[in-house]
Amino acid sequence: MALAAIHLASISDEKLQELRDRVDLVAVVQRRVPLKKSGHDWKGLCPIHGEKTPSFYVVPDKKMFHCFGCGVSGDAIKFVMQVEGRSFREAVEQLANEAGVDLTPQDPEEVRRSSRRAALAEVNEKACTFYERILWDHPKGKVARDHLRERGITEDTARAWRLGYAPNLWDSLINSHALKGVDPRLAEEAGLGIPRKKGQGLYDRFRGRLMIPIRESGRIVGFGGRLLEGQSEAKYLNSPDTPLYQKGLTLFALDRARESIRRDAVALFVEGYFDAIGLHQAGVLTAIATCGTALTDKHLELVTKAGAKELVFVFDGDAAGMRAAQRASEIAAAQGVPARVLVPPDGEDPDETVLRVGVQGFRELLASAQPSLEFLLDRALGQLPKGAPIEARVRAVDAVKGIVQAAPSPLARDLYVEKVAAMIGAPVEAIRRALAGKPPAPPSKPPPERAARTPERPLPLSVLKAELVILAAVVRHPELATELAHSGAVGEFVQPALREAADAVCAGHDAQGAIRAVEPDSLRQRILDAVAEMEQAGDQTDAKRLTNLVRKHAQTVALERKQRRSPRVPTP
């Protein structure tokens, strides 16, 4: 292998991103195609398909190009590959030299891993080219071309997404000219070939399938295959996990949707590859999909890093789709990410819906999507029969406790409590206390011996304020919870609700949940106000300041107790 190839084989994903960030795409294109300014963008004649009227645009802010004539789009690497016929490796090396980016990682082990990933990506690229050629140029690709036409996928879209076809033959790819000279072990590791049970060699993993390349960091990391010919229990088959591709860490179409997600702050999750492709074709550019797996915390991390502030789950209305929507909503709630759920009407797939109602109609459906927490409540309580036994209703309330506590605001939480009470058929206050984990309210009439006592004086404002400040400080600075627990100050709290909340925080429970459990509402609001005041004042409470607060509280409580033991005698 040449020195340059060795150098580039060791490229890391971080270096690839650095290259994309530093390359001046306008300059790269202008060296090959005359461009004219058009607003914030640049336009010219497409160098890929040839045209007389300019429909080729370069968008500097997004560092991407797009041709409205042939549908091809991509970054600087893709441009050099398309226009100059270079491989991914050659295009990256050329651009790195032009931009002055050193692609060599320092860690020898990372060099080895990156080299292996680059080799796998190159094999995937060869396989993708083979599948494309079969789809468009071979008679065996007709079944796939017909399927795409029936689904409403245009040829421009199919070519832009580099769709292909794996013929229903045992070893058409493995024995093809495309993989000539490729180490069979590499094809096996890439998930393209499977060892024969009898004899030597490999056979194709994908057979009789419409092939969808899965891209990440500008290269093909794996494939999804939709069965069109032959027999298989799996309608869709995906590449296995490899050093280049992990399903739980990859989102289909995120490479294309990233800029739109950042701009709109919304990520639209769909179930299938063609759901995402169809929505992008219609102009809904925030659509992404998991790669044959359920949604995970890592998937959410990917989209939030991409700039998503809200999620919309667009899943099928069948049992499997509803389970997927429920699981996705639960994960979003656990991560504190706002989400909504849209079930397309009449059992349609999202790509069918957008074809029927148009992009504007689809956006209106998205705007009316149900909040995911409300969706979870309906799922949990909707199947509870009318007149259900008390035990069943109690279990149902326990089941939705976490959902209600995840509400984004006190008002939303109160509304969810009212919704649960209505669906369960129970008093709102009883449901509120049950969801807060509190015992039933005591009888309104005090015991006889208690009633005979002189009513106690209300808690002095100085004591209440001291306890509010201590609790707010620990909520703002959770690292001080251990310090507060060791001080023993919580046991001296006079206000019972504040003592319970402080106990919960010191025990490591969720601070926001502890505050939500505080009653009455007026006291809970005072805690929130105290936290807000500290935030506005730029509070920097540390262990030393907490010690001073605890000491001041002890002095205030001691003084109050002394005054209660020695009431002032009225002057005659």
Side-chain angles (χ1 to χ4, degrees), residues 55-76:
S55 61
F56 179 86
Y57 284 78
V58 177
V59 186
D61 292 344
K62 297 183 178 181
K63 292 186 175 295
M64 65 171 291
F65 70 88
H66 178 76
C67 177
F68 290 93
C70 65
V72 175
S73 62
D75 57 13

Side-chain angles (χ1 to χ4, degrees), residues 249-263:
L249 301 176
T250 306
L251 286 170
F252 177 71
L254 181 58
D255 60 321
R256 290 174 174 267
R258 191 181 303 276
E259 290 300 327
S260 295
I261 289 173
R262 181 179 294 113
R263 181 188 66 244

Side-chain angles (χ1 to χ4, degrees), residues 13-23 100-102:
D13 293 341
E14 292 75 15
K15 286 292 184 180
L16 273 175
Q17 190 58 50
E18 179 187 351
L19 176 62
R20 292 187 177 90
D21 291 340
R22 290 180 56 179
V23 164
V101 176
D102 181 8

Side-chain angles (χ1 to χ4, degrees), residues 384-424:
L384 191 69
K386 189 174 183 179
I390 292 176
E391 293 79 5
R393 290 190 285 170
V394 170
R395 287 194 299 270
V397 173
D398 288 340
V400 301
K401 184 180 296 185
I403 301 172
V404 176
Q405 291 179 346
S409 68
L411 176 59
R413 184 172 60 255
D414 288 343
L415 293 176
Y416 285 144
V417 167
E418 292 178 4
K419 182 181 179 72
V420 173
M423 297 181 76
I424 292 293

Side-chain angles (χ1 to χ4, degrees), residues 441-456:
S444 57
K445 184 178 179 180
E449 66 274 10
R450 180 87 177 179
R453 295 180 183 175
T454 303
E456 294 186 6

Side-chain angles (χ1 to χ4, degrees), residues 251-254 257 260-261 264-272 275-280 283-290 295 303 308-315 340-344 350-351 354 359 362-363 365-367 369:
L251 286 170
F252 177 71
L254 181 58
S260 295
I261 289 173
D264 298 346
V266 175
L268 178 62
F269 278 93
V270 294
E271 288 190 86
D275 293 333
I277 293 172
L279 289 175
H280 275 261
V284 183
L285 304 181
T286 56
I288 52 179
T290 58
L295 188 75
V303 294
K309 305 297 184 186
E310 183 185 27
L311 313 176
V312 181
F313 303 121
V314 187
F315 294 158
R340 290 178 288 132
V341 176
L342 172 65
V343 179
D351 57 331
V354 77
V359 64
F362 191 80
R363 292 188 189 280
L365 288 175
L366 290 177

Side-chain angles (χ1 to χ4, degrees), residues 37 49 51 56 106-107 118 151 159 175 193 238 266 289 298 300 361 449 523 526:
K37 200 79 166 62
H49 80 287
E51 58 183 3
F56 179 86
Q106 302 300 316
D107 181 10
R151 293 198 70 123
R159 288 185 181 277
N175 291 331
N238 296 282
V266 175
K298 293 295 184 182
L300 285 197
E449 66 274 10
L523 181 59
R526 293 193 69 163

